[in-house]
Amino acid sequence: MRLEDLGLIGNCRISALVSREGEIVWCCLPRFDSEPVFSTLLDLPGGGFFRVAPAQGGAGRQRYLPNTNVLETTFEATDGRFRILDFAPRWIEGERALNPPRLVRLVEPLEGEPLVRVACEPRLGWSRARPSVRVFTDHLAFEGFAAPMELAFGPGRGFAPEASPLRGRAAFVLGWGDLPAGDPLAQSDRWLDATVRYWRRWVRHCNIPPLFQAEVIRSALALKLHCFEQTGAIVAAMTTSIPEAPGSGRTWDYRYCWLRDASYVLAALRRLGHFEEREHFVRYLLEIAAANPALDLAPLYRVDGTTDLEERVLDDWNGYQGERPVRVGNAAVSHRQNDVFGEMVLALAPVWMDERFHEERTPEALDLLERMARKAIAVAGTPDAGIWEYRTGWRPQTFSSLMSWAGADRMARVAEAHAPERAGWYRGEAERIRQEMIARAWNPELGSFAASYGGTDLDAALLQMAPLHFLDRDDRRLHATVDAVRTRLARDGWLFRYHADEFGASTVAFILCTFWLVEALAAIGRQAEAAHVFERTRLALSPLGLLSEDYETSSLRMWGNFPQAYSHVGLIHAAFSASPRWAELM
């Protein structure tokens, strides 16, 4: 099972991964960070699955219906052709978007009467225990879950393990909670029409660059599916324990919201022109920060804003392609990651710089932002785990200090308009941090800024100095750092995030880093180079236009949790940076 052969469906409440063989191989219910109901992705012999496939098996061809998150898988067999339309319903009713926790599988004959086999075998989460099943004429009821889970089917189709000819259209609707009464096929048709309309309307409201339009649209649609609408959280990925590289042991649970991603994600949504998702995410961040008066923030949170994320290993799970361990929870929740505070300032500063956030502007919220900025200033230059979450050997990380500088710098801009008597102090602190970074992180022997104060290693995150405007775009030190990272952290034209850590040398490229390079080159005026580098990144896209976290350059294979929101956010930023503006072409 390759990541390249999986499609993502969802509705901003639930999601699922569907293979080319017509099988749902991963789905957590009733939300992204719940226990899995379908899980053959991580345990092929023992995990749950929901399969609709030709009797003789085989892979189909997948595509998304244009400008939607509705996935089509078409099968050709000796006895005929058919297709499956997989989606999670989402539509507008009045002024509200509705997204019930349901998965719909519409099966349609295209030619002949192909024999089709249907099997739905969920599991009770991490225990992988089989639920008890009650069989009715028009649905199955799975018992043992925290809520009723039912599979409705129709019309006039019993549920039997043997293959049967597909003589007409059929619908299978899996619901968490009670399903509405009525004909599943008629309901599914209505949901399909409404869901297609919703996604195409959402795409029409996206800003896109003149070039790389298809890639940006698919990345925007994938990013939207990582938004948990009930709280506003945006998760890093839909999966856990897909290894960063084969044999690496680097298997982490990414089904949570990382605060450090906030400013970068919000900036991508701003580029796309989508305000509603930004507004929901900002409220989620404000609630997390306000609930912690000491601002002792964790690096990551569940979608409901809690931090019960103790990491544990499931020894009896086989893992993705036999790669172990399978982990649940994430020990990074207890890390000290100093970049978080500056990134929170970057994420929340638009509340005071964008008039559309007027309702969020309160004295309490401004006080919170200032306390966050002061915290960012206080931790500048102190040891931490950094953006790459080193589990040992903490040092003062240059990127963390860069974020402290950015937090002070942006706070100064906010203060100029809303607290002018304090703006000078923030400007002074930003300049102090800048000068300290130049004195302690610039390495003449490297001819570049180093990954840590006094260090000799490089870090691809240093590329963010350019789009954050840490130095003037013509500063030789900025160009030298971009060139050093590009030269010394590259393999086969792809960037690695660093050379090695406590787990050993890195063997795969971190997809986001190459997108950072595109941004950095464009920010320092090297537009043609930026466009050239972006062209290479398109090789990493799956046939459906999706991205994981990592890329094995020797085999051209994707690794890491999938799909990865941060990779798609990076693509959006890089595409806008590498493309000319519409005004330049019109």
Side-chain angles (χ1 to χ4, degrees):
M1 188 185 307
R2 292 162 44 103
L3 299 179
E4 290 86 348
D5 297 330
L6 299 177
L8 172 70
I9 60 173
N11 63 2
C12 304
R13 183 172 182 175
I14 63 171
S15 66
L17 293 178
V18 186
S19 75
R20 290 178 57 205
E21 288 74 25
E23 182 173 309
I24 296 179
V25 299
W26 185 255
C27 177
C28 296
L29 295 175
R31 63 189 206 189
F32 306 149
D33 57 356
S34 298
E35 297 194 16
V37 171
F38 302 121
S39 51
T40 49
L41 180 70
L42 293 185
D43 196 71
L44 190 56
F49 61 89
F50 184 0
R51 184 186 303 128
V52 179
Q56 67 270 38
R61 297 190 315 275
Q62 286 185 324
R63 70 171 188 126
Y64 284 107
L65 298 190
N67 293 348
T68 78
N69 279 312
V70 177
L71 182 66
E72 176 190 74
T73 308
T74 302
F75 293 93
E76 296 191 18
T78 56
D79 51 7
R81 294 191 306 124
F82 71 97
R83 73 171 184 171
I84 308 168
L85 294 177
D86 284 305
F87 66 98
R90 182 175 175 86
W91 70 93
I92 297 293
E93 192 170 291
E95 296 184 356
R96 295 177 55 219
L98 300 183
N99 56 346
R102 297 171 197 150
L103 296 175
V104 177
R105 314 200 74 182
L106 274 170
V107 189
E108 302 180 348
L110 301 175
E111 182 180 327
E113 294 184 358
L115 288 174
V116 176
R117 193 183 306 276
V118 181
C120 184
E121 297 193 14
R123 296 291 185 268
L124 296 172
W126 302 118
S127 73
R128 289 172 307 175
R130 296 173 183 265
S132 59
V133 184
R134 289 197 294 156
V135 181
F136 299 89
T137 57
D138 59 353
H139 73 281
L140 305 180
F142 302 101
E143 299 180 337
F145 293 98
M149 195 171 84
E150 298 179 348
L151 176 65
F153 42 84
R157 181 186 180 93
F159 204 92
E162 65 272 8
S164 59
L166 183 66
R167 295 192 172 94
R169 299 173 67 246
F172 299 88
V173 181
L174 183 79
W176 182 270
D178 295 323
L179 288 171
D183 176 12
L185 180 59
Q187 290 175 338
S188 296
D189 282 337
R190 289 194 296 271
W191 289 334
L192 175 64
D193 290 343
T195 300
V196 167
R197 284 198 305 274
Y198 173 85
W199 288 121
R200 288 179 175 166
R201 180 172 179 246
W202 189 85
V203 168
R204 282 198 299 272
H205 291 163
C206 282
N207 294 330
I208 57 173
L211 302 183
F212 320 121
Q213 294 183 24
E215 294 86 348
V216 170
I217 288 172
R218 179 49 51 197
S219 287
L221 285 164
L223 176 60
K224 175 69 172 177
L225 290 188
H226 287 73
C227 300
F228 186 72
E229 192 165 73
Q230 274 62 26
T231 64
I234 302 177
V235 298
M238 295 301 182
T239 57
T240 175
S241 302
I242 308 298
E244 294 180 7
S248 67
R250 302 170 189 257
T251 55
W252 318 116
D253 192 348
Y254 275 14
R255 300 170 301 139
Y256 313 115
C257 181
W258 264 256
L259 296 188
R260 82 152 47 84
D261 299 354
S263 61
Y264 201 52
V265 170
L266 288 171
L269 291 169
R270 183 172 65 247
R271 284 183 182 270
L272 292 170
H274 276 288
F275 180 80
E276 182 178 355
E277 294 80 6
R278 291 173 62 201
E279 182 181 31
H280 291 168
F281 195 18
V282 163
R283 288 177 180 169
Y284 173 80
L285 298 175
L286 285 170
E287 288 175 4
I288 284 176
N292 193 322
L295 295 184
D296 186 19
L297 300 179
L300 64 151
Y301 290 79
R302 286 189 177 274
V303 296
D304 61 4
T306 60
T307 56
D308 54 325
L309 291 169
E310 180 180 356
E311 186 175 300
R312 59 193 175 97
V313 171
L314 305 180
D315 292 321
D316 58 341
W317 282 62
N318 287 295
Y320 173 75
Q321 296 192 353
E323 296 280 347
R324 300 185 183 185
V326 171
R327 289 184 169 98
V328 181
N330 199 306
V333 73
S334 63
H335 283 180
R336 182 165 69 250
Q337 296 178 17
N338 293 336
D339 56 303
V340 165
F341 304 103
E343 284 154 346
M344 285 285 282
V345 175
L346 289 178
L348 297 176
V351 169
W352 285 269
M353 302 170 74
D354 185 332
E355 287 299 324
R356 290 172 294 179
F357 283 107
H358 189 270
E359 291 183 9
E360 282 74 22
R361 293 180 188 171
T362 65
E364 294 78 14
L366 182 59
D367 176 69
L368 174 63
L369 185 68
E370 290 207 65
R371 288 191 293 116
M372 199 79 70
R374 290 195 293 272
K375 183 85 175 223
I377 291 166
V379 300
T382 61
D384 72 323
I387 185 175
W388 305 123
E389 298 177 346
Y390 297 116
R391 296 200 168 196
T392 61
W394 291 2
R395 297 173 293 176
Q397 304 290 335
T398 305
F399 178 79
S400 294
S401 292
L402 174 66
M403 290 294 103
S404 289
W405 166 82
D409 178 78
R410 275 40 169 196
M411 187 65 237
R413 300 184 195 181
V414 172
E416 286 172 359
H418 300 279
E421 70 281 4
R422 297 189 289 279
W425 184 81
Y426 288 115
R427 283 195 298 270
E429 288 300 295
E431 184 59 26
R432 179 186 63 78
I433 296 170
R434 189 208 311 263
Q435 293 305 321
E436 179 183 85
M437 289 176 61
I438 293 171
R440 299 183 63 187
W442 175 260
N443 185 317
E445 294 181 3
L446 280 177
S448 164
F449 285 95
S452 60
Y453 284 8
T456 58
D457 292 333
L458 287 170
D459 174 356
L462 297 170
L463 293 169
Q464 286 291 288
M465 287 180 168
L468 287 172
H469 310 297
F470 176 72
L471 296 170
D472 184 82
R473 66 182 290 177
D474 296 322
D475 193 295
R476 63 174 182 81
R477 293 165 296 187
L478 189 57
H479 283 257
T481 299
V482 171
D483 288 333
V485 170
R486 184 181 186 182
T487 301
R488 299 174 196 173
L489 289 182
R491 184 184 302 171
D492 302 323
W494 292 87
L495 281 192
F496 287 53
R497 50 190 167 179
Y498 46 67
H499 288 116
D501 61 14
E502 64 267 36
F503 286 85
S506 185
T507 61
V508 292
F510 198 79
I511 290 173
L512 175 64
C513 295
T514 306
F515 290 135
W516 280 348
L517 177 60
V518 174
E519 281 189 273
L521 289 168
I524 59 178
R526 292 156 61 174
Q527 196 70 29
E529 293 177 68
H532 177 74
V533 173
F534 187 86
E535 286 291 343
R536 172 174 290 277
T537 66
R538 299 163 86 174
L539 297 174
L541 291 163
S542 79
L544 289 172
L546 301 176
L547 288 167
S548 66
E549 180 184 54
D550 305 283
Y551 193 59
E552 189 176 38
T553 61
S554 59
S555 64
L556 305 183
R557 285 280 308 277
M558 290 194 298
W559 291 89
N561 283 303
F562 176 86
Q564 175 76 306
Y566 221 21
S567 296
H568 284 287
V569 169
L571 184 148
I572 292 166
H573 280 288
F576 275 95
S577 298
S579 175
R581 298 179 180 179
W582 285 102
E584 298 172 15
L585 301 178
M586 302 299 285

